[in-house]
Amino acid sequence: MDTTRMEHKNKKKKRGRKLFLFLLVLLLIITGYTVFQYYQGLQMADAGDKKENYEFNGDTDENGRVNILLMGVDSRSEEKSRTDTMMIAQIDPKTNETKLVSLMRDIYVEIPGYQNYKLNTAFYLGGPELLRKTIKQNFGVEIQHYMLVDFKGFEKTVDILAPNGIKIDVEKAMSENIGVQLEQGTQRLNGKELLGYARFRADREGDFGRVERQQKVISAVKEEALSLDSLTKLPKMIGATQPYIETNMGKFDQLGLIKDVLLDSNNIKKLTIPVEGSYTNGYYEHAGSVIEINFAQNSEELQKFLNE
């Protein structure tokens, strides 16, 4: 009886060792594949040494929430760029709730130390820190972190994620100031075309239409990213886009933000500033066409949205 028990125990131990070795080998294969794909992605990037260590001095939020300034720029068009896309992402560690605020680039604002100008000019004049100060002065919102994304990285992300393009219903023909020519109708867009679609604003809707298209693009990219085939490409995608991202956030915080904004975008509360009925269109010789807003109304709506 004792001999039988010993043999049974030995067989269980052998099976346990085999299972352990199998899982260990599987883990090594997955790790090796991930690292290989990541560095393969890095080699695909051609951002060179463009990264800068920007100053950013946001104070801690008294309620423990984390506000992140998201900016999209096209560094290829000029040596100093204006921010084409500006958003504030808020993460509440206590509730795991994420909120996203889109800021229109043409809002006419007070820029600390300079004359009044469009909101996106603040980055041109003083980088993320001056844009942070401008948002705080005009809207009373404190921001702790920033993430600056070069649009070239977005193009590479899309092309790796979906080599055959991402399906989008283009509502009208588009070509002005976006670097590509798009026809009306449902089609698959590559990275450059999808970026052009998201940036188009040469119609009556202007920036407001562009914000809607940006949200539409986020949803389309999310759907593609959730497919099994695309999940295997994520390490390469992260490697290829890393040189095009500048931030004062840690790697894990970056991944958490990407997950919340991209992969879980349906659960995010969204707000666009200015809110409906709180603005008029204006024009100044030094700034061109601008959006003049009711700051009291918009600041109140923004504070209520972020702090409710």
Side-chain angles (χ1 to χ4, degrees):
M1 186 64 112
D2 291 339
T3 303
T4 304
R5 285 181 178 176
M6 286 295 293
E7 289 178 353
H8 184 65
K9 280 187 177 181
N10 288 335
K11 286 181 180 178
K12 286 183 69 176
K13 284 182 180 179
K14 287 180 180 179
R15 284 199 297 267
R17 290 194 194 101
K18 288 180 180 179
L19 179 61
F20 174 75
L21 287 173
F22 172 77
L23 292 175
L24 181 60
V25 170
L26 182 62
L27 178 61
L28 289 173
I29 291 173
I30 293 174
T31 302
Y33 172 82
T34 301
V35 172
F36 173 76
Q37 289 284 305
Y38 176 79
Y39 281 103
Q40 193 176 48
L42 279 177
Q43 292 175 354
M44 294 174 64
D46 56 2
D49 56 356
K50 293 179 182 177
K51 284 197 173 186
E52 297 183 34
N53 292 319
Y54 285 110
E55 174 189 5
F56 204 78
N57 302 314
D59 293 330
T60 302
D61 184 85
E62 60 181 14
N63 295 311
R65 302 184 183 98
V66 180
N67 293 327
I68 304 146
L69 179 59
L70 306 178
M71 299 162 287
V73 299
D74 185 354
S75 63
R76 298 166 298 177
S77 58
E78 51 188 3
E79 186 177 346
K80 291 179 68 177
S81 303
R82 289 169 171 79
T83 41
D84 197 66
T85 300
M86 291 171 289
M87 298 180 179
I88 300 173
Q90 183 187 82
I91 299 173
D92 190 336
K94 296 177 182 177
T95 62
N96 290 321
E97 186 177 49
T98 302
K99 299 176 182 177
L100 197 62
V101 179
S102 295
L103 300 169
M104 298 294 97
R105 52 177 274 172
D106 289 345
I107 298 174
Y108 195 61
V109 295
E110 295 179 3
I111 299 179
Y114 297 88
Q115 65 177 328
N116 290 14
Y117 222 105
K118 295 180 181 181
L119 181 60
N120 70 333
T121 304
F123 177 85
Y124 175 85
L125 295 171
E129 172 65 4
L130 184 57
L131 181 54
R132 179 195 69 80
K133 288 180 178 178
T134 301
I135 292 172
K136 182 178 180 179
Q137 178 168 313
N138 288 270
F139 298 102
V141 176
E142 191 63 73
I143 302 174
Q144 293 76 47
H145 299 286
Y146 77 90
M147 180 179 284
L148 178 66
V149 181
D150 191 315
F151 286 138
K152 185 66 176 177
F154 175 83
E155 290 181 22
K156 284 188 175 291
T157 297
V158 172
D159 290 338
I160 292 172
L161 196 62
N164 297 321
I166 288 181
K167 189 175 180 181
I168 286 286
D169 182 11
V170 180
E171 59 269 24
K172 65 184 76 175
M174 302 177 183
S175 61
E176 188 174 343
N177 297 326
I178 59 174
V180 294
Q181 187 163 345
L182 303 178
E183 301 300 328
Q184 183 179 3
T186 301
Q187 54 206 282
R188 301 193 75 87
L189 305 182
N190 62 28
K192 186 175 182 179
E193 293 167 338
L194 192 63
L195 176 61
Y197 173 77
R199 297 179 68 187
F200 179 77
R201 65 175 190 140
D203 58 9
R204 291 182 178 180
E205 296 175 336
D207 265 348
F208 295 92
R210 176 162 59 176
V211 167
E212 289 183 9
R213 281 187 286 276
Q214 287 172 356
Q215 297 297 339
K216 186 176 174 181
V217 165
I218 287 176
S219 296
V221 174
K222 180 204 73 172
E223 293 300 323
E224 187 69 35
L226 288 176
S227 70
L228 181 61
D229 181 52
S230 294
L231 287 174
T232 63
K233 302 172 186 174
L234 288 179
K236 183 188 289 187
M237 183 186 77
I238 293 171
T241 56
Q242 198 63 40
Y244 300 96
I245 295 175
E246 299 179 41
T247 181
N248 62 345
M249 300 173 66
K251 288 287 190 294
F252 287 109
D253 291 332
Q254 292 180 50
L255 291 174
L257 178 64
I258 291 171
K259 179 190 78 67
D260 289 338
V261 174
L262 181 59
L263 302 184
D264 199 26
S265 61
N266 288 337
N267 297 321
I268 294 179
K269 293 181 179 179
K270 301 179 182 74
L271 177 70
T272 297
I273 295 294
V275 297
E276 188 175 351
S278 69
Y279 65 91
T280 57
N281 295 317
Y283 181 86
Y284 295 91
E285 286 291 338
H286 68 284
S289 298
V290 301
I291 299 173
E292 297 191 279
I293 73 172
N294 182 323
F295 281 99
Q297 182 181 351
N298 280 280
S299 295
E300 181 181 353
E301 292 293 333
L302 181 56
Q303 293 289 343
K304 183 168 65 175
F305 176 75
L306 293 176
N307 298 315
E308 64 184 0

